[in-house]
Amino acid sequence: MTAASAPRGEVPAPTGFHAQLARSWTASGSMLCVGLDPDLERIPAHLRSEPDAIERFCREIVDATAPHACAFKPQIAYFASCGAEAALERICAHVREEHPDVTLVLDSKRGDIGTTALHYAREAFDRYGAHAVTVNPYMGTDSVEPFLTHGAGGAFVLCRTSNPGGDDLQALITSEPGAQGSQPGIPLHLRVARRVATEWSQLGECGLVVGATRPDELAEVRSLIGDLPLLVPGVGAQGGDAATVVERGASADGRGLVVNSSRAILYASGGEDFAEAAAAEAARTAAALAG
């Protein structure tokens, strides 16, 4: 059903990634994203022997934490490594059908030549029904464009990550094209941020990924990209501070952030109360983000 054909009195569904995300922020009052990274070795013991253990675990986490979240972010590798792609399809469908106010971000960090990227875009948006997908910018515009022009969603572009090897390439100083003499260059990740804000955002709806453990760089990226949304992993088990992330990374309207926490929420308890414990941790993190 299109927005134009929605019955009288029914709020029409948003038509783009940014509109969906704005709806999620408003409906939840939260900037928390719950990462779905199901590790069979860590899910509660009473579920591990079940054939649908991953699906049951994720569905219960989703239903318990949805009131506190603006987004869910399933990491595709955790499903693909154990042949659970069909379970991921059903989980994504469950999010879309039962929690339509929550944004669905497929974390796959795809990046390949144009024709292959086109199929990756179809995987994210047509197969899994994601509102957005994470992508790797290393191969340039033609590797990202299929995600931005697909029409069914948007892309969060990797920009500045908090892993130990992130400095290997992201911190390299690059000079401006045509720069002369001693004009200073900028780190590669800021060049990515600038390109996303000034060029790729004209192709489709996008945002950037910046780690929570680099607050100064988070602020620097925000200064370059205006109000584009930022997906910020690293709060919780990785040590990022919620209040600092909001202080340094929020957009002008005080939102603009999708702050991910995975392990701290998923594994808040290893017992049969895992869903209740996850909900409590999600509520605590959402409150910390709200100040």
Side-chain angles (χ1 to χ4, degrees), residues 31-35 37 73 162 210-215 218 231-246 257-266 281-282 284-289:
M31 293 188 288
L32 173 66
C33 173
V34 176
D37 304 355
K73 183 176 70 66
S162 54
V210 180
T213 58
R214 299 182 182 274
L218 178 64
L231 174 60
V232 184
V235 167
Q238 295 182 51
D241 179 70
T244 303
V245 165
V246 175
L257 296 171
V258 180
V259 183
N260 186 78
S261 178
S262 299
R263 287 171 289 171
I265 293 173
L266 296 184
E281 179 63 20
R284 187 199 65 78
T285 307
L289 291 168

Side-chain angles (χ1 to χ4, degrees), residues 62-225:
V62 164
D63 291 342
T65 61
H68 313 293
C70 70
F72 290 112
K73 183 176 70 66
Q75 216 306 327
I76 196 169
Y78 282 85
F79 297 87
S81 67
C82 53
E85 292 96 328
L88 176 57
E89 287 186 58
R90 292 190 292 270
I91 292 163
C92 289
H94 179 73
V95 172
R96 293 289 296 253
E97 293 164 8
E98 300 300 323
H99 306 287
D101 289 337
V102 183
T103 296
L104 180 62
V105 180
L106 183 68
D107 190 4
S108 57
K109 300 181 179 69
R110 301 302 195 193
D112 212 321
I113 60 171
T115 52
T116 305
L118 177 62
H119 287 277
Y120 279 140
R122 291 173 180 168
E123 171 194 54
F125 302 127
D126 298 340
R127 180 181 184 186
Y128 293 115
H131 296 112
V133 60
T134 57
V135 298
N136 192 319
Y138 191 75
M139 292 182 69
T141 303
D142 58 319
S143 70
V144 174
E145 187 172 4
F147 298 94
L148 299 177
T149 60
H150 182 277
F156 277 114
V157 181
L158 288 178
C159 178
R160 189 64 168 120
T161 61
S162 54
N163 60 301
D167 284 348
D168 292 352
L169 298 177
Q170 296 163 20
L172 291 177
I173 301 301
T174 62
S175 60
E176 295 282 359
Q180 300 293 320
S182 60
Q183 288 180 301
I186 61 172
L188 180 60
H189 73 274
L190 293 183
R191 189 167 301 284
V192 169
R194 182 181 294 173
R195 183 173 293 267
V196 171
T198 61
E199 298 181 29
W200 292 355
S201 64
Q202 304 305 304
L203 298 174
E205 298 192 352
C206 50
L208 294 107
V209 181
V210 180
T213 58
R214 299 182 182 274
D216 291 341
E217 291 169 336
L218 178 64
E220 202 168 15
V221 170
R222 173 57 74 196
S223 72
L224 291 176
I225 66 169

